[in-house]
């Protein structure tokens, strides 16, 4: 699925199941909350913190999808074509960073 299609799907869902988009500040707060949930899973599962029994059942993919959903909402409500923005960003990163990490001793 393309990002453009995902944006359309989120918009259709909001229009069919929601009342309206939450305002941008509310969605920003939601995004922060969802990113925090991703961080908690990664810190405990892959970091040095021990994972609580209740956290072991948390699905990282589901939490990442929550982040993506809110990002798509923010893009929709601010008029951003995220597919175009992402494609442009990949082009910039490819040109700028093509060889950047090849000689990084930290990554060897």
């Amino acid at each position: 699925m393309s990002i453009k299609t995902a944006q359309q799907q989120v918009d259709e869902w909001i229009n069919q199941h929601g009342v309206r988009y939450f305002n941008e500040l509310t969605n920003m707060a939601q995004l922060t909350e969802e990113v925090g949930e991703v961080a908690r899973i990664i810190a405990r599962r892959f970091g040095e913190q021990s994972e609580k029994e209740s956290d072991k059942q948390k699905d990282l993919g589901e939490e990442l999808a929550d982040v993506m959903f809110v990002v798509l909402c923010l893009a929709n409500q601010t008029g951003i074509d995220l597919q175009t923005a992402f494609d442009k960003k990949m082009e910039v990163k490819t040109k700028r960073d093509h060889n950047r990490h090849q000689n990084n001793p930290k990554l060897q």
Side-chain angles (χ1 to χ4, degrees), residues 38-51 60:
V38 169
R40 180 184 177 101
I41 292 170
I42 290 177
R44 285 168 171 72
R45 201 162 293 164
F46 304 104
E48 296 173 337
Q49 289 183 314
S50 58
E51 190 170 26
L60 179 57

Side-chain angles (χ1 to χ4, degrees), residues 35-94:
V35 169
E37 291 177 21
V38 169
R40 180 184 177 101
I41 292 170
I42 290 177
R44 285 168 171 72
R45 201 162 293 164
F46 304 104
E48 296 173 337
Q49 289 183 314
S50 58
E51 190 170 26
K52 294 179 183 177
E53 203 55 45
S54 60
D55 287 340
K56 291 180 180 178
Q57 304 305 316
K58 304 240 180 194
D59 183 343
L60 179 57
E62 185 177 324
E63 297 305 332
L64 287 167
D66 286 342
V67 169
M68 195 166 127
F69 183 89
V70 180
V71 167
L72 293 169
C73 285
L74 283 165
N76 284 348
Q77 67 193 133
T78 58
I80 303 295
D81 177 342
L82 206 50
Q83 183 72 64
T84 299
F86 183 79
D87 292 344
K88 182 179 176 183
K89 177 55 66 177
M90 290 304 295
E91 198 175 303
V92 167
K93 288 182 75 58
T94 299

Side-chain angles (χ1 to χ4, degrees), residues 7-19 69 73:
Q7 274 189 257
Q8 291 168 344
Q9 189 174 7
V10 165
D11 192 61
E12 288 170 10
W13 187 91
I14 294 291
N15 288 313
Q16 291 174 7
H17 303 284
V19 175
F69 183 89
C73 285

